[in-house]
């Protein structure tokens, strides 16, 4: 049984190496922190891949990031999730971020039917279509969860 398992693992590794995908196409970081655990932490450092003119809340504590590059793709997809406590009104936070994004020269994008007060869809400045969504996730409303997803040229 052990030889069979080793042979399968070796065959899988050879197949991935021959396809140019020896490295996983998805890299991620997860802290596993709950909002209560993260609340006292200092704000997270801004990810190096994130363009400087895309705003984030000042108190954002990032608890998850993902990077995905599929073989043959000309872009890299990034995703970030974090907690914020500065303002508990998700619609107001989203509106303020929308204004800053548009003022930075990005343009609205996406399906008009999917637009909500807590979702920003934008593109421009070399980005593939991206979106930022802010949601209140606790029943008592003690924090917001920010989700950012965008694609950048490689």
């Amino acid at each position: 049984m052990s030889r069979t398992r080793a042979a399968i693992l070796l065959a899988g590794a050879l197949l991935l190496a021959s396809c140019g995908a020896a490295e996983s196409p998805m890299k991620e970081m997860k802290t596993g922190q709950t909002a209560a655990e993260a609340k006292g932490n200092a704000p997270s450092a801004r990810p190096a891949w994130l363009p400087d003119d895309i705003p984030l809340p000042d108190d954002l504590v990032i608890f998850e990031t993902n990077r995905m590059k599929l073989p043959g793709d000309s872009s890299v997809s990034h995703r970030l999730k974090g907690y914020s406590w500065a303002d508990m009104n998700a619609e107001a936070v989203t509106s303020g971020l929308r204004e800053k994004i548009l003022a930075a020269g990005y343009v609205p994008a996406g399906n008009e039917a999917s637009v909500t007060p807590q979702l920003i869809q934008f593109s421009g400045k070399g980005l593939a279509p991206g979106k930022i969504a802010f949601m209140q996730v606790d029943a008592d409303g003690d924090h917001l969860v920010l989700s950012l997803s965008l694609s950048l040229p490689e």
Side-chain angles (χ1 to χ4, degrees):
M1 182 79 150
S2 178
R3 283 185 120 169
T4 304
R5 191 175 294 163
I8 291 171
L9 290 173
L10 179 59
L14 289 172
L15 179 63
L16 287 174
S18 68
C19 294
E23 185 179 336
S24 171
M26 187 165 198
K27 297 179 183 176
E28 58 185 284
M29 175 283 299
K30 292 183 180 182
T31 67
Q33 284 186 311
T34 65
E37 293 168 337
K39 190 168 186 173
N41 292 354
S44 299
R46 185 181 188 85
W49 53 262
L50 184 62
D52 291 336
D53 56 1
I54 294 180
L56 295 175
D58 292 335
D59 70 334
L60 189 72
V61 175
I62 298 170
F63 67 88
E64 182 178 334
T65 62
N66 295 308
R67 175 191 183 277
M68 186 172 201
K69 168 74 169 91
L70 296 175
D73 257 352
S74 61
S75 64
V76 178
S77 296
H78 295 274
R79 189 174 63 134
L80 157 134
K81 286 182 154 187
Y83 300 118
S84 176
W85 298 266
D87 185 340
M88 295 304 104
N89 184 335
E91 291 181 19
V93 170
T94 305
S95 177
L97 289 171
R98 181 180 289 114
E99 288 175 15
K100 290 177 183 178
I101 287 169
L102 297 179
Y106 294 95
V107 295
N111 181 350
E112 287 296 320
S114 69
V115 173
T116 70
Q118 293 171 233
L119 174 67
I120 305 167
Q121 294 180 343
F122 63 97
S123 65
K125 296 183 132 185
L127 297 181
K131 61 184 175 183
I132 299 177
F134 286 81
M135 296 164 274
Q136 282 184 286
V137 296
D138 277 354
D140 62 357
D142 77 336
H143 69 276
L144 299 179
V145 173
L146 173 140
S147 296
L148 166 66
S149 177
L150 57 82
S151 295
L152 299 169
E154 189 171 42

